[in-house]
Amino acid sequence: MANVSNQLGETPLWCEREQKLWWLDIEQPTLFALTPSTGELERYERDCTFLGSQALTRSGRHLLAEDLALCLTDTPGGTGTPLAEVEPGLDNRLNDGRVDARGRLWIGTMDNQLHRPNGNLYRVGPDGTVATIMDGVIVANGIAFSPDGKLVYFTDTRRHLSYVLAIDPDDGVVTDTKIFADYSATGDRPDGACVDADGCLWAAFFAGGKIVRYAPDGRIDLEIPLPATNPTCLCFGGPDFKTLYVTTAFKFLDDAQRAAEPLAGALLAIHGVGQGVPENRFDV
């Protein structure tokens, strides 16, 4: 655990090469790294308004989503090399993203006002080619892949809907789209997600103070309450991929709530609740 007081912590990724957990604070644009074996914590401030998400790469560089642009960095604090830009001029920003088994990034955008369907879900190739997968998105979140690479999970948090997309893993073409979970009646806000070795989907519920595990058939089979109202995203890591790391946020909490929640904005670690798999890496 690291109590780093993230305004909007997000996108935890375990790097098995370095034995480090990488994550970021979107609204205090900073990239973090924690080495659990030593407790060393690194911070790299980024020169952008929003640091939306990140991805590991096969070359060891970082792929960062800064505002509406994707860039590759040789060092975590270094200047990035532009890869692609989406939606220039819109009051949007890049948000959640994840890499598929063939090394392509799936990433979405969101409306900065949190209510207009101005965003999209994209698939980005290693050469920077951008393909639109879904439009009319308010807040793109919850991108994760089944272990066989044939399913993509995707959530529009402010529509209170999660989808499952069937794809051809070779070319990334979507062959079917279905609603995986509908939270419109409860107003729940599922945020970031990951998939474990058994194909179960784990989701963080922003403003819900919990994480939830779904069986592959869509049944909820586990809920874990957290000491923070706003969990944002999660991943498995550690040497055996049996530690579930959860990022959180203090965004939207007033002073009294923050005083009552000393772990709001912290990185949480939960041991022994599942078995994860290594993250896919962007193919550059």
Side-chain angles (χ1 to χ4, degrees), residues 15 111 119 146 158 254 261 263:
C15 178
D111 171 36
S146 61
R158 289 288 173 153
D254 60 28
E261 288 186 31
L263 294 181

Side-chain angles (χ1 to χ4, degrees), residues 43-189:
R43 303 169 187 250
Y44 304 94
E45 294 183 4
R46 301 297 305 173
D47 185 18
C48 55
T49 302
F50 298 109
L51 180 58
S53 60
Q54 60 160 334
L56 305 175
T57 71
R58 292 178 181 171
S59 66
R61 291 179 285 174
H62 257 86
L63 179 63
L64 298 178
E66 299 185 328
D67 300 322
L68 285 166
L70 292 166
C71 64
L72 289 160
T73 63
D74 292 322
T75 60
T79 301
T81 301
L83 176 74
E85 185 173 7
V86 300
E87 305 172 358
L90 283 183
D91 184 25
N92 282 2
R93 66 168 174 83
L94 287 162
N95 201 42
D96 193 59
R98 214 114 193 179
V99 176
D100 68 19
R102 299 296 190 271
R104 298 165 298 225
L105 177 70
W106 294 62
I107 191 166
T109 53
M110 59 170 279
D111 171 36
N112 285 327
Q113 305 302 316
L114 301 176
H115 64 88
R116 299 169 298 184
N118 289 344
N120 296 275
L121 173 64
Y122 298 103
R123 186 186 66 240
V124 183
D127 61 354
T129 301
V130 178
T132 302
I133 302 300
M134 185 184 295
D135 60 13
V137 173
I138 302 175
V139 176
N141 259 317
I143 301 173
F145 296 90
S146 61
D148 63 7
K150 294 181 179 180
L151 299 176
V152 184
Y153 296 96
F154 171 69
T155 290
D156 188 335
T157 298
R158 289 288 173 153
R159 286 192 187 276
H160 312 289
L161 290 172
S162 293
Y163 304 88
V164 58
L165 288 62
I167 66 168
D168 182 323
D170 291 324
D171 59 20
V173 171
V174 176
T175 57
D176 190 31
T177 300
K178 295 179 180 177
I179 292 176
F180 180 76
D182 185 340
Y183 314 94
S184 55
T186 61
D188 287 340
R189 287 189 261 168

